Amino acid sequence: MLDNPRHAAPIDESSLRYEGWRIVAVCFLLATFGWGLGFYGQSVYVAELQRARGWPASLISAGTTFFYLFGALLVVFVGEAVRKYGPRLCLIAGTLAMAAAAVAIGAVREPWQLYLADAVLAFGWAGTSLAMITNTISLWFDHKRGMAISLALNGASFGGIVGVPLLVTMISHVGFATAMYATAGAMLVLLVPVILLAVGRPPEHHGWHAAAKAKPQSSAQIRAHALRDVGFLTVTIAFALVLFAQVGFIVHLISFLDPVIGRERAAVAVAVLTAMAVVGRVLFSMVIDRLNQRLASALSFLSQAAALCVVINLHNDYVLIAACAVFGFSVGNLIMLPSLIVQQEFDSASFGVLISLNTAINQVTYAFGPGVVGFLRDFSGGYALPFYLCVALEVAAAALIMVRGKPHRVGKGA
């Protein structure tokens, strides 16, 4: 035992000296660029390419949908990639792909080049977003996994709150292409050395080594069993429905609020929603590992449904902003709760494969949220119908998430 002190020494995940907190810092930085360029940056690309090239918004938006769908296909395999190649190599690969995508988007001159750039962006998104972050953190954390994931994912909000305004400012001063090239360079300069220095070998008794020693079923077998497991299906379908509603609502929020309370206060409402997502995630991180996470999820869904009902029926400025604050409080938590439920209810050896599958299914589903909300808005002449659909989906998900299925674990070797 003395020959292997890493294996013998007990790990105190709550200690600030624990190496896992360096991994959280790396993942925070990764999420900042991942969401800034891959998620929030989409609105910037649509506006700039439409202005500079004169292409129809539908053409550019179709590229965004392609990005989400192709990215979802890639996300399925993130867990096994981390298990096979290790977190350091996978994090560097994701960083390089995202930087290459930023350069490609800046260099777009023809529509076909946009779709090629979106394909590269999908690789970058798979390697810098939720599946990669949760798989990486799970190798260092067990008891404090909820807090660690929560703190790391604050980088996603930081990417939207700070990263996107900086990108827009750069574009106004040096142009779209130069701004994208500079952002790619900054990402490489900041992230690659940090990953090389901070990301080492995970503790031996955590998921990576445990999975290897347990000789689990193949990834294909784990996925096949999961898609027949009631517990996994209720988690996945419930969150897919909620994220469909959440993304559809947020994308159309300014369009809805603008004629009701004006563009300036609509922007305030969106800012409040985003800020509350950070507040909610931080506060939740302090207690989430001690909560019934299915119940916490259900209550979060219902709080969003209640906020949506207020948004639909009450058009007072302050009431609408308050409702957006309530809605936003759970926005940040809904992307981390599935991984915590999967951690609790399924084998650690299958965690990476299962959370990657869950994330991919959710991404495919919410990719259609904005389009369906927009179609129903045009069909009905207003936002009441699509927003009530979102309410119905949230309520249905709250009931579904409470169905646990049989008390067994997917992914154990036979």
Side-chain angles (χ1 to χ4, degrees), residues 273-327:
L273 186 152
T274 306
M276 287 300 293
V278 177
V279 172
R281 189 185 289 123
V282 171
L283 293 178
F284 234 56
S285 70
M286 299 176 182
V287 297
I288 188 60
D289 292 309
R290 301 192 296 272
L291 296 179
N292 179 327
Q293 288 155 6
R294 283 185 179 262
L295 178 59
S297 300
L299 294 175
S300 296
F301 302 164
L302 292 175
S303 72
Q304 288 195 346
L308 277 168
C309 288
V310 172
V311 167
I312 296 169
N313 294 290
L314 299 176
H315 292 172
N316 176 272
D317 296 11
Y318 298 107
V319 171
L320 284 172
I321 292 173
C324 288
V326 172
F327 188 96

Side-chain angles (χ1 to χ4, degrees), residues 55 104-105 107-119:
W55 297 339
I105 291 171
V108 162
R109 297 294 182 270
E110 300 291 338
W112 68 267
Q113 295 173 340
L114 173 62
Y115 285 83
L116 181 60
D118 279 326

Side-chain angles (χ1 to χ4, degrees), residues 29-188:
L29 192 58
L30 189 79
T32 299
F33 282 98
W35 266 264
L37 290 171
F39 186 80
Y40 296 109
Q42 290 292 332
S43 60
V44 178
Y45 309 151
V46 170
E48 288 300 319
L49 291 174
Q50 190 174 14
R51 181 189 60 79
R53 306 294 169 202
W55 297 339
S58 58
L59 173 68
I60 305 171
S61 298
T64 300
T65 300
F66 165 70
F67 153 70
Y68 279 126
L69 296 179
F70 184 47
L73 177 64
L74 299 174
V75 163
V76 172
F77 303 102
V78 166
E80 54 202 282
V82 172
R83 187 169 65 186
K84 183 175 182 179
Y85 299 109
R88 177 191 286 177
L89 186 59
C90 289
L91 290 172
I92 290 176
T95 300
L96 294 177
M98 184 60 81
V103 171
I105 291 171
V108 162
R109 297 294 182 270
E110 300 291 338
W112 68 267
Q113 295 173 340
L114 173 62
Y115 285 83
L116 181 60
D118 279 326
V120 179
L121 188 66
F123 278 95
W125 177 247
T128 60
S129 58
L130 181 63
M132 181 61 70
I133 289 170
T134 53
N135 271 280
T136 299
I137 287 178
S138 71
L139 301 179
W140 273 268
F141 287 91
D142 184 14
H143 302 297
K144 294 291 184 180
R145 186 178 296 178
M147 175 179 287
I149 292 174
S150 174
L151 294 176
L153 289 178
N154 280 321
S157 300
F158 191 76
I161 296 171
V162 176
V164 171
L166 283 176
L167 180 60
V168 171
T169 301
M170 288 176 61
I171 291 171
S172 66
H173 284 84
V174 300
F176 180 58
T178 304
M180 294 301 293
Y181 301 158
T183 303
M187 184 177 188
L188 293 175

Side-chain angles (χ1 to χ4, degrees), residues 349-374:
S350 61
F351 175 84
V353 174
L354 293 180
I355 198 59
S356 298
L357 178 61
N358 173 278
T359 303
I361 293 171
N362 288 346
Q363 185 168 316
V364 168
T365 306
Y366 74 64
F368 294 98
V372 171
V373 170

